[in-house]
Amino acid sequence: MIASEKNQPITINGVTVQPGEQQIIDLPVGKLYTHTDLNIPLQVICGRKTGPTLFISAAIHGDELNGVEIVRRLIKSSVLKRLRGTLIVVPVVNIFGIIQHSRYLPDRRDLNRSFPGSKRGSLTARLAHIFLTEIVRKCDYGIDLHTGAIHRSNLPQVRANLDDPETKQLAEAFSVPVILNSNLRDGSLRQAAAEHNVKVLLYEAGEALRFDEMSIRAGVRGILSAMRVLEMLPPKKPSHKKPLEPFIARSSSWERAPESGVLRAVASLGARVNKGDLLGVISDPSDLFDQQEYEIRAQYAGLVIGKSNIPLVNEGDALFHIARFEDIQEAAASVEAFQNRSENPPNPIFDDQTFI
Ligand SMILES: [Zn+2]
């Protein structure tokens, strides 16, 4: 090995991890009022050889759990023995929220609207500041794992700033059928990271407070393929399987409830819809005998990439998220191939690596 190929050690919260080492670090973020210390647990894998530094973060919204399982499976992956560069995995960033099964922190703020945060700001601002200073700013790249909100599912999708060619390349490598070009939101982790030249992808899949096997498997697979593009992992052996083609949505918007009532959803997640297609019907439960019903019809042709799962709706509630594409037929074929590929989980204990 030539000297310049050797990786650099990394120090987090005063703990230094040397090349070839792996370490669990507790990052202190304060105390509960019960005098219980709170830490963000994280794991650092410092490869022997030089390469980028990448963080994987989950549960920035404390009720979004798919990422917690994605991280667990990623860490068990034997291919990490051949890691170049440094991987930092943070299975639960919002350690306050996960205790309460909540998206937010106890001060009711949203962590993903509170970056860059500050040392002396609100509880949420302090957590944002610690995470940004101790983790994000030490990295070149990041992948932030999310799910839909409570009672809402997202079809596996990547959101990223596609105006940046390298971020676009990573988003395409993630191997999910749908990519959204998402502008940086004020106060988000992605925006704060971009200001420090750290490129971040956001993976959105499944529903809050639930595990969704398809979303979890696609997440593990996506992270590993992004790491291959970054040359943090060796290239995959050639396979005769056709690689999944991602499609960038032209735009997307939610179809909202025209009235309050009880929803019967017709369109399923991943479905292709034409303009005017029936998405669902709302009826008023106090008006059973009149049978007054309100139809929700697609205003555009597209794919259903997000949907509400609760039949109880208030007028104005976002019910069906429709993404529009240049070539809807090709995009729909890619979603179908993805869903077929993800059927039949290989192993009930969820540690089978053959799908990777
Ligand atoms: Zn989220």
Side-chain angles (χ1 to χ4, degrees), residues 157-187:
Q157 58 198 259
V158 165
R159 299 179 185 181
N161 175 18
L162 304 180
D163 299 336
D164 177 67
E166 202 183 16
T167 309
K168 182 165 180 266
Q169 192 193 9
L170 276 184
E172 287 172 345
F174 206 92
S175 284
V176 287
V178 176
I179 302 176
L180 298 186
N181 187 12
S182 168
N183 292 333
L184 298 175
R185 242 181 232 259
D186 204 23

Side-chain angles (χ1 to χ4, degrees), residues 60-61 63-64 103 110 112 144-149 202 204:
I60 277 204
H61 293 131
D63 58 353
E64 300 183 359
R103 176 183 179 89
D110 183 329
N112 212 24
D144 187 27
L145 307 172
H146 288 254
T147 75
L202 192 143
E204 274 276 358

Side-chain angles (χ1 to χ4, degrees), residues 74-142:
L74 176 71
I75 283 297
K76 285 179 81 94
S77 173
S78 55
V79 72
L80 292 185
K81 290 193 189 96
R82 302 173 68 187
L83 177 74
R84 296 180 76 116
T86 302
L87 178 67
I88 304 173
V89 294
V90 190
V92 182
V93 179
N94 184 356
I95 203 83
F96 292 92
I98 200 167
I99 296 171
Q100 306 285 348
H101 304 182
S102 167
R103 176 183 179 89
Y104 304 105
L105 273 91
D107 62 4
R108 296 191 286 183
R109 287 183 168 87
D110 183 329
L111 181 57
N112 212 24
R113 304 286 177 275
S114 303
F115 284 95
S118 64
K119 237 181 184 167
R120 301 198 175 277
S122 67
L123 179 68
T124 309
R126 292 174 191 213
L127 180 62
H129 174 76
I130 292 171
F131 184 64
L132 190 67
T133 317
E134 283 293 338
I135 311 288
V136 179
R137 289 183 61 177
K138 294 175 180 169
C139 294
D140 307 300
Y141 304 93

Side-chain angles (χ1 to χ4, degrees), residues 162-225:
L162 304 180
D163 299 336
D164 177 67
E166 202 183 16
T167 309
K168 182 165 180 266
Q169 192 193 9
L170 276 184
E172 287 172 345
F174 206 92
S175 284
V176 287
V178 176
I179 302 176
L180 298 186
N181 187 12
S182 168
N183 292 333
L184 298 175
R185 242 181 232 259
D186 204 23
S188 72
L189 167 64
R190 276 198 307 134
Q191 186 197 36
E195 279 163 19
H196 296 284
N197 207 22
V198 182
K199 299 178 179 193
V200 177
L201 292 187
L202 192 143
Y203 175 60
E204 274 276 358
E207 180 184 355
L209 295 174
R210 300 281 181 269
F211 273 176
D212 176 68
E213 182 58 21
M214 179 177 80
S215 302
I216 292 166
R217 291 169 64 192
V220 179
R221 215 163 37 210
I223 292 169
L224 291 174
S225 27

